[in-house]
């Protein structure tokens, strides 16, 4: 595995000249997620939050894979947010979401470990259209074995940027998120080659 600084460098290179578009993509994704959550909470008198969490999973998936596609030199398009509302993505992401929650019920640490074990699921689903949800989770877990701490440390290296983004009235987070997601894409590409 490469050093975290290399993943951050590769992320900056993939975002060069594309920061504004990437930040806008993140903003639209968050905005749509908030609209769905707010609408369902309003229609269900505040009890729609869990349902909203499940309905917006394709947005979460789209956000992650968009930066992998951009890392591979594709031109980011807003339509990517809506391409993934299909049964396969929903079932896989719901399955991942439920497993992480169940592991988190044991204690926080097992939930965090499992969330890192399943971190590669969206990328694997994108790269292999024949992969089922269970196979994607198993393959991600196998890929991340011995590398969960590497990814955790990569995420930890962005802590200062995230705090700075929050201090900038939260707007900065929309510029930090593409940086983090692009670094995750670089991490996946490196892990895949290994």
């Amino acid at each position: 595995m490469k050093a975290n600084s290399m993943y951050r460098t590769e992320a900056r290179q993939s975002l060069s000249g594309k920061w504004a578009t990437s930040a806008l993509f993140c903003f639209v994704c968050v905005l749509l997620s908030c609209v769905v959550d707010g609408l369902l909470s309003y229609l269900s008198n505040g009890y729609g939050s869990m349902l909203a969490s499940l309905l917006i999973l394709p947005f979460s998936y789209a956000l992650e894979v968009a930066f992998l596609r951009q890392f591979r030199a594709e031109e980011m398009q807003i339509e990517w947010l809506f391409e993934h509302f299909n049964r396969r993505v929903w079932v896989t992401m719901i399955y991942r979401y439920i497993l992480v929650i169940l592991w988190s019920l044991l204690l926080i640490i097992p939930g965090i470990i499992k969330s890192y074990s399943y971190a590669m699921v969206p990328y694997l689903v994108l790269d292999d259209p024949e992969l089922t949800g269970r196979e994607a989770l198993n393959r991600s877990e196998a890929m991340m074995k011995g590398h969960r701490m590497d990814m955790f440390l990569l995420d930890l290296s962005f802590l200062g940027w995230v705090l700075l983004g929050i201090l900038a009235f939260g707007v900065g987070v929309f510029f930090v998120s593409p940086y983090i997601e692009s670094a995750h894409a670089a991490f996946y590409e490196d892990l895949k080659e290994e």
Side-chain angles (χ1 to χ4, degrees), residues 31-49:
L31 181 67
L32 288 171
S33 298
C34 288
V35 166
V36 170
D37 185 35
L39 188 61
L40 282 175
S41 291
Y42 175 75
L43 292 174
S44 63
N45 294 325
Y47 296 107
S49 190

Side-chain angles (χ1 to χ4, degrees), residues 11 15 19 22-23 25-27 30 63 67 158 161-162 165 170-184:
L15 288 166
W19 282 94
S22 299
F25 189 88
C26 288
F27 175 75
V30 169
L63 184 67
F67 288 98
F158 287 104
W161 287 106
V162 171
V171 176
V173 173
F174 294 113
F175 289 90
V176 175
S177 293
Y179 191 18
I180 295 169
E181 292 299 336
S182 296
H184 286 175

Side-chain angles (χ1 to χ4, degrees), residues 18 21 23 60 68 70 76 99 111-112 114 118 128 130 134-135 141 143 158 183 191-192:
K18 303 171 189 168
T21 307
S60 168
L68 177 62
Q70 182 172 272
M76 188 172 280
L99 286 176
I112 293 170
K114 281 301 176 184
Y118 302 144
D128 189 349
E130 301 300 316
R134 177 177 231 128
E135 290 169 343
E141 198 162 20
M143 281 178 82
F158 287 104
L191 199 58
K192 191 175 70 169

